[in-house]
Amino acid sequence: MGYVRVYNPHMTLKKTLALIVLILLGGSLPIFIYLTQTGGLGISEMARLQTVNSTERSALIASLLTIKPIYLLLCVAIILTLWGRASFSAQALFWGFSALISGELICGAVFSAFKRELIVSEHIHGFGMALEFSALAFALINFLDCRTAQTQTRNYPIFEFVALLGIFAAFLPLTVLPIPSGYQADLFGFPYSYARFPFNQWVESRALPWASIILFLCVVFWTTLRANETKFRNLIKAFLSLAIGLLVFSLLRLTLGALFAERLIWFEFWEEATQLILIASVAFWIWRFRRAWILEQLVLFRVL
């Protein structure tokens, strides 16, 4: 018939379970460290909240009821398109967007149940975004690496250079002083509130930068050894991508938080807008250059 489902030999059930366990452990580690240092995560309510004017209320409605649903639908479409693809770049995007969707669903479920955000659910939401950024970084790095490998170009010096720059950049968020803040708005009679809790800002300004530095150092160490290049090549790319993703998420959150500390609603608006730009770009790239993948899935669903 022209289209055959591609069997994925790289991701067995055992590898899938191991990956999920590693992700859960990685996301839980900042919680355990913070609990050890402070004895708790703090409270999920803030005594003082910013008020919202009419313009900001319109921006909030647009971000929650227009921008977010659009990029979530695009995200689901991308996941369905990439399901079963064998390339490492496609797998990375599949898992990264799956992590994002999982974080959004958990965050939404908690908000529906408690009528407000909780510290842990906000952490899960942020961790899903960080994994998404890491997946995007891996997809790009792996794509470029595969292209240059055809010309016998050694990319290890480039990996080292990027890692060294990343180490330097990671010290920037370590100098940021977290400022807890939040706002409350009435959306068609529903009391909506959003807060930047101390724990979540500690993760962004301390835990993630240090994790990035450690990962970047691992990349420098392995690329310097040049030991068993074929065996460690994908591992090096994975560590480099994870370090970049964690650092980019940290810088994005802290930059938006610093720019809009007094009007926090714009922090949320531009975070959602950034997500739309990134996911729409991936969707456009797949539509433009991998349209056969989409057609293959459409054929499959017609058969089902």
Side-chain angles (χ1 to χ4, degrees):
M1 294 293 293
Y3 296 102
V4 180
R5 166 155 297 284
V6 177
Y7 172 69
N8 187 341
H10 302 293
M11 189 62 69
T12 63
L13 178 60
K14 185 180 294 186
K15 288 182 178 180
T16 301
L17 293 176
L19 178 62
I20 293 174
V21 170
L22 286 174
I23 290 174
L24 293 177
L25 290 175
S28 303
L29 186 59
I31 296 177
F32 295 139
I33 295 175
Y34 195 81
L35 285 173
T36 302
Q37 293 181 351
T38 64
L41 297 180
I43 58 175
S44 296
E45 293 184 5
M46 306 194 73
R48 188 175 178 184
L49 296 172
Q50 301 171 4
T51 58
V52 174
N53 58 40
S54 59
T55 302
E56 292 170 335
R57 183 174 178 274
S58 299
L60 179 61
I61 292 173
S63 63
L64 293 179
L65 302 182
T66 303
I67 296 177
K68 184 183 284 289
I70 290 175
Y71 77 66
L72 288 180
L73 287 174
L74 286 174
C75 200
V76 171
I78 292 172
I79 290 173
L80 292 176
T81 301
L82 298 178
W83 180 57
R85 307 313 309 181
S87 73
F88 283 118
S89 293
Q91 289 182 50
L93 292 176
F94 176 89
W95 284 101
F97 286 132
S98 296
L100 174 64
I101 288 287
S102 300
E104 292 286 353
L105 290 176
I106 292 173
C107 190
V110 169
F111 198 93
S112 298
F114 295 93
K115 308 304 179 186
R116 59 185 172 86
E117 197 63 79
L118 300 182
I119 295 174
V120 174
S121 63
E122 176 61 17
H123 173 64
I124 295 173
H125 171 251
F127 188 59
M129 286 183 60
L131 291 177
E132 173 207 1
F133 291 167
S134 299
L136 289 169
F138 182 88
L140 180 59
I141 291 172
N142 185 68
F143 174 78
L144 296 175
D145 183 53
C146 291
R147 287 298 182 91
T148 55
Q150 298 174 3
T151 62
Q152 304 300 317
T153 302
R154 295 176 60 88
N155 289 326
Y156 274 25
I158 300 176
F159 294 162
E160 286 183 75
F161 179 71
V162 172
L164 290 173
L165 288 181
I167 293 172
F168 180 74
F171 282 98
L172 189 156
L174 291 174
T175 61
V176 174
L177 181 64
I179 304 176
S181 58
Y183 68 85
Q184 188 169 29
D186 180 86
L187 299 182
F188 308 112
F190 180 85
Y192 178 85
S193 61
Y194 180 82
R196 294 271 291 152
F197 301 113
F199 166 73
N200 302 121
Q201 294 191 60
W202 173 84
V203 171
E204 297 161 8
S205 62
R206 299 296 182 268
L208 295 186
W210 278 117
S212 298
I213 291 173
I214 294 172
L215 291 168
F216 281 132
L217 287 173
C218 290
V219 171
V220 173
F221 175 75
W222 280 328
T223 53
T224 301
L225 287 181
R226 301 287 204 282
N228 201 337
E229 180 174 340
T230 303
K231 181 178 180 180
F232 287 99
R233 193 177 191 88
N234 287 324
L235 185 62
I236 290 172
K237 288 187 288 187
F239 272 58
L240 180 62
S241 303
L242 185 58
I244 291 173
L246 297 181
L247 181 58
V248 169
F249 173 75
S250 169
L251 292 173
L252 173 66
R253 276 292 187 98
L254 294 174
T255 299
L256 292 177
L259 289 174
F260 305 113
E262 299 299 324
R263 309 308 306 172
L264 195 60
I265 192 170
W266 294 109
F267 166 96
E268 190 170 8
F269 176 85
W270 285 112
E271 180 181 271
E272 301 293 353
T274 300
Q275 285 285 57
L276 177 60
I277 293 170
L278 289 175
I279 296 172
S281 298
V282 174
F284 175 79
W285 185 88
I286 294 175
W287 173 257
R288 181 66 178 82
F289 299 103
R290 292 291 184 268
R291 197 170 302 184
W293 293 1
I294 301 174
L295 296 176
E296 178 184 324
Q297 298 298 58
L298 291 176
V299 170
L300 175 66
F301 282 116
R302 288 193 190 121
V303 173
L304 295 176

